[in-house]
Amino acid sequence: MSGSTAGVVIVGAGLGGIRVAENLRNNGYTDPITLVGAETHPPYDRPPLSKSVLLGKDDRVDLKPAEFYDEAGITLRLGSEVTAVSPSDKTITLASGESIAYDHLVLATGLEPRPFPGLADRVEGVHMIRTYDDAVALREQIDSATDAVVIGAGFIGCEVAASLIARGLKVALVEPAPTPLALALGEEIGALVARLHTDNGVDLRTGVGVAEIVAPDGAVRAVTLDDGTELPADIVVVGIGSIPVTGFLEGSGIELADRAHGGGIACDATGRTSAADVYAVGDVANWLEDDTPRRVEHWNHTVDQASVVAHQIIGDDDAVVSAVPYFWSDQFDLKIQVLGAPRPDDEVHVVDDDGKKFLAYYCRDGILTAVVGAGKVGAVMRTRPKLQTPTPVADLL
């Protein structure tokens, strides 16, 4: 543990940042902790933005009550964008010009949405969802809209499409791949997700890209597809992927991972970067896993990494890490769960499908790699022990 007064500075006031701070305090760290966030809101949970927040069921879902920070002795520096890091001086620089010293630095800046190519910065009715303010801006337009086009059928795009249907809009979901979620779960399960969306009224357009967002007067009016189809649109939501937020590291000497391995900040297997006493966690962090660089964008992965980094800072290597990756996506009235690490090219066995709910086993070289289910919460979670040790998929069929 550091004996100086600079303490730990965490850049990024989201899930990863707050979990590092909480783990430090829970494990006896008594030096200062400063949590620096570019947004003016206190740390909040991002997954509800495309679901319950957009539906109006929740307002911002704060990760901790307001009194937590004072009680835990955590200093919040909100509305403070970090523009530079100097590992040699052990300082960060804010947009205001202020410098903050650190003993240990944790980078948890997350992702920013990939913009639609060639689109002007501001077009009325075109949205991307990363922040609470983004979700509220979209939510406020729903009541005056009729037609929505969602570009990109990844998890965010599928969730937004489901939420907009629930709010009464006509929704077209456009995806260049053959099915939704093809890059994450493969085409066979993607086809079952496609069925879910079409059964709920989504106008699903797969195997086609977007040629143009039509906004002749600065406000969106339509979306033109590569095949010449023009879809009317009062609202367009762009969900074509995200980019790790690393621009502030230019000139710092902190190594970034190559794009072939997911980009982001290069780390070892415990979150250490190429700079002394600098760590990275969450969506921006590319950790070594089984000697392979890997950047993972899931909630539980961030929680596990935060625990590891906090223990590294206090000099304790005994952090407990979940052995089986897990995440979920709420779409319409179903929870789609992914347990394990599926790849699009895995062999897939659909073992239960009633036309709406389904359960599937993924395998590689005959060994179970993942279980994916929709509306099958118990059945999915019961397979966790089978994923903790090599299990032949034939034993489950």
Side-chain angles (χ1 to χ4, degrees), residues 158 161-173 192-204 330-334 336 355-357 374:
C158 286
S163 295
L164 295 179
I165 283 284
R167 291 293 305 273
L169 272 64
K170 299 176 184 176
V171 179
L173 178 58
L192 301 184
V193 176
R195 181 185 66 192
L196 172 65
H197 280 259
T198 55
D199 285 352
N200 281 277
V202 174
D203 178 7
L204 182 61
D330 295 319
Q331 298 178 32
F332 302 102
D333 58 346
L334 290 185
I336 299 174
K356 180 180 179 181
K357 301 176 182 179

Side-chain angles (χ1 to χ4, degrees), residues 101-190:
Y102 65 83
D103 292 320
H104 295 89
L105 179 65
V106 180
L107 306 175
T109 47
L111 309 171
E112 59 185 2
R114 190 182 303 278
F116 186 80
L119 188 68
D121 289 341
R122 291 177 179 267
V123 174
E124 183 181 345
V126 176
H127 299 265
M128 294 183 289
I129 297 182
R130 178 180 186 256
T131 69
Y132 170 72
D133 291 337
D134 293 337
V136 170
L138 173 55
R139 187 174 70 188
E140 289 177 346
Q141 282 200 315
I142 290 175
D143 289 340
S144 60
T146 302
D147 297 287
V149 175
V150 179
I151 303 173
F155 283 105
I156 292 295
C158 286
E159 289 171 0
V160 169
S163 295
L164 295 179
I165 283 284
R167 291 293 305 273
L169 272 64
K170 299 176 184 176
V171 179
L173 178 58
V174 182
E175 170 57 53
T179 71
L181 304 180
L183 293 178
L185 302 180
E187 294 179 19
E188 186 169 357
I189 298 305

Side-chain angles (χ1 to χ4, degrees), residues 2-9 29 31-34 90 100-104:
S2 170
S4 73
T5 58
V8 173
V9 174
Y29 186 87
D31 283 354
I33 298 175
T34 302
K90 287 200 153 186
I100 300 177
Y102 65 83
D103 292 320
H104 295 89

Side-chain angles (χ1 to χ4, degrees), residues 179-247:
T179 71
L181 304 180
L183 293 178
L185 302 180
E187 294 179 19
E188 186 169 357
I189 298 305
L192 301 184
V193 176
R195 181 185 66 192
L196 172 65
H197 280 259
T198 55
D199 285 352
N200 281 277
V202 174
D203 178 7
L204 182 61
R205 306 293 183 108
T206 57
V208 63
V210 172
E212 181 185 8
I213 295 176
V214 181
D217 53 359
V220 67
R221 293 289 177 263
V223 170
T224 303
L225 305 185
D226 287 342
D227 62 7
T229 303
E230 186 169 279
L231 302 173
D234 307 301
I235 289 174
V236 171
V237 182
V238 178
I240 55 174
S242 300
I243 306 166
V245 178
T246 59

Side-chain angles (χ1 to χ4, degrees), residues 18 35 40-44 60-76 78:
I18 190 59
L35 191 60
T40 58
H41 305 295
Y44 60 86
R60 190 181 65 243
V61 182
D62 290 346
L63 288 165
K64 293 292 178 183
E67 61 271 17
F68 166 81
Y69 302 97
D70 285 340
E71 292 174 355
I74 297 169
T75 300
L76 284 181
L78 302 176

